[in-house]
Amino acid sequence: MSPTSPLTSTPTTTDVLVLGADLAGAGPANLLIRDGVFADPADARPDAVRVDAYGLVALPGLVDLHTHLREPGREDAETVTTGTAAAARGGYTAVLAMANTSPVTDTAEAAEHLLDVGRATGTAQVVPIGAVSKGLAGEELAELGLMARSPAQTRVFSDDGRCVADARLMRRALEYVRAFDGVIAQHAQDPRLAGPDACCDEGPVSGRLGLPGWPAVAEAGIVARDVGLAELTRSRLHVCHVSTAETVDVLRWAKARGIAVTAEVTPHHLLLTVDELLGYDPTFKVNPPLRSAEDVAAVREALTDGTIDVVATDHAPHARHDKEHAFVDAAPGMLGLETALAVVVETMVRPGTLGWREVATRMSSVPAHIARLGGQGRPLAVGEPANLTLVDPTRRATVDRAASVSLSRNNPWHGRDLPDPVVATWWAGRATYGR
Amino acid sequence: MRHLLSAADLDAAETTGILDLAEEMALVQGRPVKKLPALRGRTVVNLFFEDSTRTRSSFELAGKWLSADTINISAKGSSVSKGESLRDTVLTVASMGVDALVIRHMASGAPLQAARWFAELGLGVHVVNAGDGTHEHPTQALLDAFTLRRHFRASQPDAGRDDHQPFAGRRIAVVGDITHSRVARSNVELLTTLGAGVVLVAPPTLLPAGVDTWPVEVRDDLDRVLGEVDAVMMLRVQRERMSGGYFPTPREYTVGYGLTRARLGLLRPGTAICHPGPMNRGLEISADAADSAGSLILDQVAAGVSVRMSVLYLLLGGADESGAVR
């Protein structure tokens, strides 16, 4: 398909017949998109738009559990419009929008507002994440129940960026959300142990560069505490952006014990190491920080064996001026939506570690299930919502940050040769990206 | 040499060249009229984001004695406090047509980042790192090496020791808060490049992560080290660290790691005592030690100007094509 593909202008009332795509590793088949759902290909109308997908892989639309859309409050960095355009370009049909906006998504009204903006301007489903605590202050519970019962139907709650450090508050949050099948998504970072300026994996690199260290145990220690609280409360815990081998060990233990914990890893923690910081380039400042090669190997292994359940982007767009400070003062975070699948292909699929079925699981169906999104992450089957990502498993390209559709340019992959897999995306039968 | 950002960027020959030229510059210090015309018409800006007295005035004197136009900008409490990014601040200053920016910043890596931004924009400004966070302070290490080299040549002319390799076989102890010390990091780089052995002495709380990968020996018993070294470099205990839980009390620190009067007796004759200043007398160093015959602390201060003259001269092309000083 060319960049001038008619897909993006295809009206949803027209049949789209996708021919010969490999259905997430299950072998080639045809798919018919009609009225927002998959219909029987045998019923395709003669005037159906036909898409030659031989040699391509069909995945259920990807679901990102961890996106920063920056709207409201920092529309100079990203908006719902640009963020979901980046999502569609990356093969996503749904994104869960983190609560640390300005104002914070800590009320039903704020969640509903974001839902409305998403419906009006988004090219992917926008699902608000609710804050755990009022104003992310870590002191009092936000209106978790009201957000859950609002039209936004919030099920994921997180103070991301600010660990819920108070053990008692964390316990109450876990207990409380059990009433509506919610999940607490924790950014695990012991604030006292890591320190306020922590920005570099604590080890030889932080010691040499003189950057404040962020020890692995500051993550694993909180996760150990939280899985204990999840067991105590019989509630669901989700661990955001796992970055260390120590955390993987704790998760493995907790899962073996039957505790209801899930976990995510970001693309950048699957590929980049702390050595990227040697030039003090704030593009590579992220929280949690890039870790050692041993940690990278551990999170890859954990994603392979299911100890880590999903890949989530932690897409964190920043205006240029927020990155143009000394490393320790620069805003943490990097773009992720457009390149996540590329990195997963590079690190997990090409080496033969994960098959396409597992990619569909870890990037679509399981994230949708964790967030309790009924209409996402579904099988590519007749009657299911037509959320579809077409993938070319062989194509590669040099990443160019200028080509991003995100408003921001903090792209850690700029200039790097990576897979360029996403060919087209449909969300609820609507073509949202095509090249 | 385009910039001086890190002692790690200097090899032994470059370092020796800087120190040798500093010896020539030191002659200027002794003259009634302390002025060389070498950098006439060149502009050096001391851009200090962090308070400093000795480093800033040392750079200022160095520039002035080389006839450069030298100005000081204290960025603390100016545009930075109004929310300007570091990139905008350094580009604003650099765009005024200056030849060299001497940058001190409380954040590690800031001068290196500035140099990268200048390179991206094709600006030919030279950057000198005058201390960045807890990363490096390369001119401090150079002036320490200058001072020690003079001392070793003058006071310990061991039989058979090659005067051209005055650091070979020497052992130098660096004592105190290694974790937060840019002086320690630069000295480790430079002294080991010159062939010296470095012994770091500190409580475990003040040793940086990964120190076991450094080319140094790490010890925690100062008493056992003092008799084994040719020089002891005491590091300042920063007041703000005292409440950080790095050690229980100042008294306990002094007992464990201070160069007390009693410990002076453990030093071998001729052992040099250094301190980058400002000193906390009675904490990491006693008055007896600071003022003792072995103390090189004032020599270090004097060497600072010579070494910085040498660095500015080399960066700004004060030498003619033959390398001779004009």
Side-chain angles (χ1 to χ4, degrees):
Chain A
M1 256 173 287
S2 71
T4 54
S5 165
L7 283 170
T8 50
S9 59
T10 304
T12 54
T13 52
T14 302
D15 281 1
V16 176
L17 188 58
V18 179
L19 298 167
D22 179 356
L23 302 189
N30 300 336
L31 291 165
L32 178 64
I33 299 172
R34 173 184 290 168
D35 299 331
V37 296
F38 291 117
D40 186 342
D43 295 340
R45 298 185 190 104
D47 63 348
V49 173
R50 300 165 80 85
V51 176
D52 177 358
Y54 291 96
L56 304 183
V57 175
L59 296 173
L62 307 181
V63 176
D64 188 23
L65 270 181
H66 196 144
T67 297
H68 296 271
L69 288 178
R70 304 293 184 220
E71 182 177 356
R74 283 307 303 267
E75 288 85 351
D76 59 329
E78 195 78 287
T79 66
V80 169
T81 302
T82 58
T84 56
R89 191 167 186 257
Y92 287 90
T93 54
V95 294
L96 282 98
M98 266 297 169
N100 57 349
T101 47
S102 179
V104 173
T105 310
D106 58 359
T107 64
E109 290 76 15
E112 196 172 340
H113 172 73
L114 183 58
L115 183 75
D116 291 342
V117 173
R119 283 174 173 164
T121 68
T123 45
Q125 183 179 357
V126 176
V127 183
I129 291 176
V132 173
S133 66
K134 291 176 187 167
L136 309 174
E139 292 172 0
E140 298 175 85
L141 288 181
E143 293 177 342
L144 308 175
L146 290 180
M147 286 188 274
R149 293 176 188 103
S150 78
Q153 299 183 54
T154 305
R155 289 295 178 274
V156 182
F157 300 90
S158 181
D159 279 358
D160 181 56
R162 297 202 194 170
C163 178
V164 181
D166 182 321
R168 192 168 66 170
L169 186 75
M170 187 64 180
R171 174 196 171 148
R172 295 294 178 231
L174 285 162
E175 280 176 335
Y176 199 78
V177 301
R178 206 178 61 217
F180 37 85
D181 198 18
V183 59
I184 303 295
Q186 175 75 294
H187 170 107
Q189 178 180 3
D190 185 318
R192 290 283 292 167
L193 197 49
D197 296 324
C199 60
C200 178
D201 179 47
E202 184 174 296
V205 174
S206 71
R208 177 66 196 89
L209 296 184
L211 290 173
W214 200 131
V217 68
E219 178 176 291
I222 290 290
V223 175
R225 181 200 76 175
D226 286 352
V227 295
L229 293 174
E231 182 175 44
L232 174 71
T233 57
R234 293 172 288 111
S235 192
R236 289 199 295 140
L237 169 72
H238 178 74
V239 182
C240 296
H241 37 50
V242 171
S243 67
T244 74
E246 290 85 342
T247 301
V248 167
D249 289 341
V250 174
L251 288 169
R252 207 164 266 143
W253 173 86
K255 289 197 164 189
R257 200 172 161 86
I259 297 170
V261 58
T262 54
E264 69 190 34
V265 64
T266 70
H268 45 271
H269 288 112
L270 283 173
L271 183 49
L272 301 176
T273 70
V274 64
D275 287 347
E276 302 285 350
L277 271 57
L278 290 171
Y280 293 100
D281 182 349
T283 306
F284 295 101
K285 181 177 176 180
V286 66
N287 195 18
L290 300 175
R291 302 287 189 183
S292 69
E294 291 74 23
D295 290 311
V296 168
V299 294
R300 285 189 192 183
E301 185 186 349
L303 184 64
T304 306
D305 69 20
T307 301
I308 292 177
D309 305 79
V310 304
V311 176
T313 68
D314 195 6
H315 177 80
H318 286 294
R320 209 182 76 170
H321 56 266
D322 289 325
K323 280 285 190 185
E324 291 179 338
H325 295 280
F327 190 90
V328 73
D329 301 323
M334 46 181 66
L335 299 184
L337 281 169
E338 292 170 276
T339 48
L341 186 59
V343 177
V344 170
V345 171
E346 181 78 351
T347 57
M348 309 301 292
V349 178
R350 281 170 53 90
T353 313
L354 290 187
W356 290 109
R357 193 168 69 86
E358 288 78 26
V359 172
T361 304
R362 285 160 177 73
M363 297 186 76
S364 180
S365 58
V366 174
H369 181 69
I370 290 169
R372 300 296 190 250
L373 297 182
Q376 296 279 351
R378 303 292 303 163
L380 300 171
V382 173
E384 297 287 356
N387 296 316
L388 173 65
T389 301
L390 275 186
V391 168
D392 181 342
T394 61
R395 187 183 161 109
R396 295 184 75 86
T398 301
V399 177
D400 178 3
R401 65 174 159 236
S404 174
V405 295
S406 167
L407 265 188
S408 294
R409 293 289 174 268
N410 51 315
N411 188 333
W413 314 107
H414 177 69
R416 195 180 290 246
D417 175 63
L418 279 179
D420 185 20
V422 180
V423 173
T425 309
W426 286 264
W427 166 40
R430 172 185 165 198
T432 52
Y433 173 71
R435 67 173 183 219
Chain B
M1 195 162 65
R2 166 101 231 137
H3 307 291
L4 179 57
L5 301 170
S6 162
D9 295 338
L10 298 172
D11 61 25
E14 286 173 312
T15 304
T16 302
I18 293 170
L19 300 185
D20 289 346
L21 181 57
E23 289 286 0
E24 292 187 50
M25 296 299 178
L27 299 174
V28 177
Q29 253 171 301
R31 294 180 187 167
V33 178
K34 300 174 179 59
K35 207 79 166 174
L36 288 178
L39 299 185
R40 197 162 49 203
R42 315 302 294 271
T43 306
V44 178
V45 173
N46 293 323
L47 181 57
F48 276 53
F49 293 84
E50 187 182 70
D51 292 334
S52 159
T53 302
R54 74 186 61 208
T55 301
R56 201 207 63 210
S57 48
S58 177
F59 268 109
E60 188 177 1
L61 278 177
K64 287 186 188 306
W65 289 356
L66 289 168
S67 301
D69 294 310
T70 305
I71 65 167
N72 299 316
I73 298 176
S74 174
K76 188 182 179 189
S78 61
S79 54
V80 177
S81 63
K82 295 173 187 166
E84 188 172 64
S85 72
L86 175 66
R87 184 175 186 273
D88 284 341
T89 303
V90 297
L91 285 179
T92 298
V93 177
S95 298
M96 293 177 186
V98 307
D99 297 294
L101 265 186
V102 177
I103 299 178
R104 167 167 285 197
H105 201 285
M106 61 293 277
S108 302
L112 189 147
Q113 289 176 263
R116 190 168 60 235
W117 290 323
F118 297 158
E120 286 168 4
L121 295 173
L123 290 173
V125 183
H126 302 276
V127 178
V128 180
N129 180 0
D132 62 326
T134 56
H135 177 223
E136 282 223 35
H137 194 356
T139 57
Q140 176 71 40
L142 284 165
L143 74 87
D144 290 337
F146 181 89
T147 310
L148 287 171
R149 189 174 77 162
R150 277 188 162 186
H151 173 78
F152 291 151
R153 281 176 170 168
S155 66
Q156 296 183 331
D158 297 356
R161 194 183 291 279
D162 185 346
D163 189 53
H164 295 291
Q165 296 183 13
F167 288 91
R170 305 286 187 185
R171 295 182 77 212
I172 298 161
V174 181
V175 183
D177 184 358
I178 311 294
T179 294
H180 302 100
S181 176
R182 50 196 176 205
V183 175
R185 281 175 180 75
S186 285
N187 265 299
V188 166
E189 293 288 349
L190 204 76
L191 293 172
T192 54
T193 295
L194 290 171
V198 176
V199 186
L200 301 180
V201 188
T205 49
L206 291 173
L207 286 170
V211 73
D212 53 320
T213 64
W214 294 15
V216 298
E217 189 184 339
V218 179
R219 304 273 288 272
D220 57 17
D221 186 342
L222 181 59
D223 289 336
R224 294 171 70 101
V225 170
L226 288 177
E228 305 171 358
V229 296
D230 300 287
V232 56
M233 189 178 292
M234 304 306 296
L235 299 174
R236 184 169 71 90
V237 174
Q238 296 168 53
R239 297 271 172 193
E240 62 270 25
R241 310 286 174 216
M242 292 184 192
S243 58
Y246 294 98
F247 49 86
T249 62
R251 185 171 73 111
E252 182 163 329
Y253 182 88
T254 303
V255 169
Y257 299 94
L259 190 56
T260 59
R261 181 179 187 173
R263 285 200 170 102
L264 283 178
L266 300 176
L267 298 173
R268 296 186 305 204
T271 301
I273 296 170
C274 296
H275 191 297
M279 291 180 281
N280 295 302
R281 285 177 182 254
L283 179 55
E284 73 267 4
I285 189 166
S286 66
D288 300 283
D291 302 332
S292 69
S295 171
L296 301 180
I297 294 168
L298 291 178
D299 302 83
Q300 290 175 273
V301 177
V305 183
S306 309
V307 159
R308 284 159 184 140
M309 286 174 76
S310 174
V311 167
L312 290 175
Y313 187 88
L314 291 169
L315 280 178
L316 294 177
D320 63 21
E321 287 182 1
S322 70
V325 176
R326 284 184 301 199

